[in-house]
Amino acid sequence: LDHPIGRRLVWVPVAILGLTGLALCNDLQSWETRAGVLLLAPLTVAKAAQEARLRLLPFLAGLLALLLFAGWSMDITDWPGPLEHPSNWTPAVVQALIAAAALTAGFFAATGLWFQNRRTQPLPWASLTASVPVLALAVCYWRVALFQTRADWAIVAFALSAGLIGAASLAMRGTGFFGASTWAASEDAHLHRQIAGVHAAGAVAALSLACAMLLADQWLTLAVSLMLPALAWVEAQSDLPPLRRVALAVAIVVLLRLLANWYVLDYAFGRLPLVNGLLAAYGVPAVAFWIAARMFRRRGDDVTVAVLEAGSVAFATVLVALEIRQAAGEGALTGGSFSFAEAALHVSSLAILS
């Protein structure tokens, strides 16, 4: 560990063991093979607690666990019960996946909260608490609910968001779920804000996941876009530059859903001209992108700011174009005639927007 090559090579054994375990789980869907992957979590946490230079190793174990959940066999052909009403039962294979994911997420959350108060470099430990539970919930939601709107899953995401908000509040006061931190006496207010920012970012992610579980079509994209000003505020309050990259990833998702999604033309926006669902679908994200860009720019002009500004302009442009098309098409975005008046409005509006 005293040399750079040694610090890089230390990842290799865990990665090889984990990938071998995942390969075995592909062929042998049993608890014996899964345990080989899941037990890397306590092993890496124990080593990272002893050696600060291994503090990122638990993230590799968390990634391997998430890959295990993503490849979990959902075959229910051997389920003995009736399959006529799937809403009334939970197959044993689904129960096993949820139990394994809950235990793994709970372990990473608890150890992260414990060691963030007892180590001189608490940010990686706080990141474990803020990231692994949210990602584990997202993977299970994908495998079990197939991204369908489900209120019961959303309640779990809201509860997780509330827990992370509580962790952020305690971090701001220099305390934790398991008592005061060993470095609280140093009065390092900046470090307290950074830890609180990590948990707040996790809470925003959990809240976005809850919106995905409840909403669909343009309402989901609208809700996710509103997370960008929240992330900008958290980044400014906690002085956490990595949150800018998180905001950039969120912005790219929103841009793809609204600008590269052909099916957006089939969404139900209403038939009224001008005052319709297009204002919420494109107008609100345009404003959210603009506000987030201004907030991020106060602390630096980078790629995130450029993407947010470009996204705001793009959404405003598409909003005007679709409003013209919707009015000319008598409420429809596709089909219908393309008149000279509509073409003239498009040319004029594009000139003004340029």
Side-chain angles (χ1 to χ4, degrees):
L1 291 177
D2 294 331
H3 300 84
I5 293 180
R7 289 193 291 273
R8 293 187 181 96
L9 288 178
V10 77
W11 293 74
V12 175
V14 178
I16 292 177
L17 285 170
L19 292 175
T20 304
L22 291 176
L24 287 173
C25 288
N26 239 0
D27 296 328
L28 303 172
Q29 293 283 341
S30 65
W31 283 109
E32 289 81 358
T33 54
R34 292 164 181 162
V37 178
L38 296 177
L39 287 177
L40 289 174
L43 174 65
T44 54
V45 166
K47 299 304 291 185
Q50 297 171 4
E51 173 56 66
R53 287 174 289 188
L54 300 178
R55 60 187 177 275
L56 297 181
L57 206 56
F59 287 94
L60 177 55
L63 175 61
L64 291 169
L66 292 173
L67 291 175
L68 174 66
F69 302 147
W72 199 284
S73 174
M74 301 300 289
D75 185 12
I76 58 173
T77 55
D78 296 330
W79 177 247
L83 301 180
E84 289 81 4
H85 302 286
S87 61
N88 296 329
W89 51 262
T90 303
V93 65
V94 175
Q95 293 176 337
L97 170 60
I98 293 176
L103 288 173
T104 303
F107 171 78
F108 277 112
T111 53
L113 291 171
W114 176 269
F115 288 116
Q116 80 176 26
N117 298 325
R118 289 160 177 81
R119 292 295 178 269
T120 55
Q121 295 178 321
L123 288 182
W125 295 106
S127 300
L128 274 180
T129 301
S131 61
V132 176
V134 178
L135 292 173
L137 179 60
V139 170
C140 290
Y141 173 63
W142 160 46
R143 294 308 316 279
V144 177
L146 300 176
F147 290 132
Q148 301 298 311
T149 53
R150 291 280 297 272
D152 50 350
W153 284 82
I155 292 173
V156 178
F158 280 126
L160 180 57
S161 178
L164 289 169
I165 291 173
S169 176
L170 291 174
M172 285 298 292
R173 297 199 297 265
T175 59
F177 281 102
F178 303 109
S181 61
T182 55
W183 41 265
S186 65
E187 298 180 354
D188 192 350
H190 180 258
L191 190 55
H192 291 305
R193 289 200 305 272
Q194 286 189 315
I195 295 175
V198 170
H199 292 310
V204 171
L207 192 59
S208 300
L209 185 57
C211 292
M213 294 168 176
L214 283 176
L215 305 174
D217 297 340
Q218 70 268 28
W219 303 110
L220 170 58
T221 311
L222 182 152
V224 174
S225 69
L226 291 176
M227 303 300 169
L228 288 167
L231 283 172
W233 182 82
V234 171
E235 190 269 343
Q237 296 297 316
S238 59
D239 188 23
L240 275 175
L243 290 184
R244 301 173 81 94
R245 293 194 290 271
V246 176
L248 177 61
V250 173
I252 291 174
V253 170
V254 176
L255 286 167
L256 290 175
R257 278 189 59 87
L258 288 181
L259 300 182
N261 180 11
W262 180 258
Y263 296 102
V264 75
L265 298 177
D266 298 326
Y267 292 172
F269 294 115
R271 305 190 67 84
L272 288 176
L274 299 181
V275 183
N276 48 52
L278 289 168
L279 291 175
Y282 287 92
V284 174
V287 174
F289 270 58
W290 176 70
I291 294 174
R294 286 179 59 88
M295 296 174 70
F296 277 122
R297 181 186 279 277
R298 294 170 187 164
R299 291 172 47 79
D301 192 356
D302 56 6
V303 175
T304 301
V305 174
V307 170
L308 290 171
E309 290 178 339
S312 179
V313 173
F315 290 149
T317 303
V318 173
L319 172 63
V320 174
L322 289 181
E323 287 283 11
I324 294 173
R325 174 86 277 271
Q326 194 262 3
E330 298 180 349
L333 295 177
T334 57
S337 59
F338 191 70
S339 64
F340 174 81
E342 181 182 356
L345 285 173
H346 281 304
V347 172
S348 303
S349 62
L350 286 172
I352 295 171
L353 286 163
S354 298

